[in-house]
Amino acid sequence: MQEIEFVCPSDVFLKVIKGKCKTTLIVLIKKQCNRFSEMKRTLPTISERMIAKQLDELEADGIIERKVFAEVPPRVEYYLTEYGESIFPIVHDMRKWGYQHLERTKQV
């Protein structure tokens, strides 16, 4: 008898990366743009609240970690976890395909 699949693994993946600019945040962090202010400068059309929400969700999913430095004013940096490093090649290829699709449909 064939087993029934109750959870679609692709849907799980999409749930983790779905969100306003989550894939861009992953790429920025990978490229050492790992401070909130740097991310905000790079994504001027996204609100600070939305960036913070997406970073919180990525942290909750174990994709990134947040490091707070004991300085005045406090400094916070984000890093990909080992688990987050495993998702990066997929995100990179997905974004590459997205650029190709935009070019193909002349939406660039």
Side-chain angles (χ1 to χ4, degrees):
M1 188 169 192
Q2 191 177 24
E3 285 188 41
I4 299 172
E5 190 171 302
F6 291 101
V7 177
C8 176
S10 300
D11 289 344
V12 172
F13 172 78
L14 292 173
K15 184 177 181 286
V16 171
I17 63 159
K18 182 181 174 186
K20 193 77 170 171
C21 293
K22 274 189 182 176
T23 58
T24 301
L25 291 171
I26 291 169
V27 170
L28 289 175
I29 293 168
K30 175 71 174 176
K31 292 182 175 184
Q32 303 303 314
C33 178
N34 54 2
R35 296 188 66 187
F36 189 91
S37 59
E38 295 169 328
M39 292 179 212
K40 176 62 183 145
R41 253 191 316 277
T42 305
L43 302 167
T45 61
I46 310 301
S47 71
E48 288 185 16
R49 182 173 172 256
M50 184 56 70
I51 294 171
K53 179 181 184 286
Q54 302 307 313
L55 290 170
D56 288 345
E57 289 177 8
L58 288 169
E59 184 178 15
D61 285 326
I63 306 300
I64 64 171
E65 64 182 340
R66 181 177 187 259
K67 185 174 181 183
V68 181
F69 295 86
E71 299 174 356
V72 177
R75 178 171 53 115
V76 178
E77 293 183 353
Y78 296 89
Y79 300 92
L80 288 180
T81 62
E82 185 176 334
Y83 186 56
E85 290 283 348
S86 73
I87 201 173
F88 180 76
I90 301 163
V91 167
H92 177 73
D93 287 346
M94 184 179 66
R95 288 171 52 87
K96 182 178 170 185
W97 186 91
Y99 284 124
Q100 290 171 348
H101 184 71
L102 287 172
E103 180 63 32
R104 181 174 185 240
T105 59
K106 303 297 182 211
Q107 295 179 23
V108 180

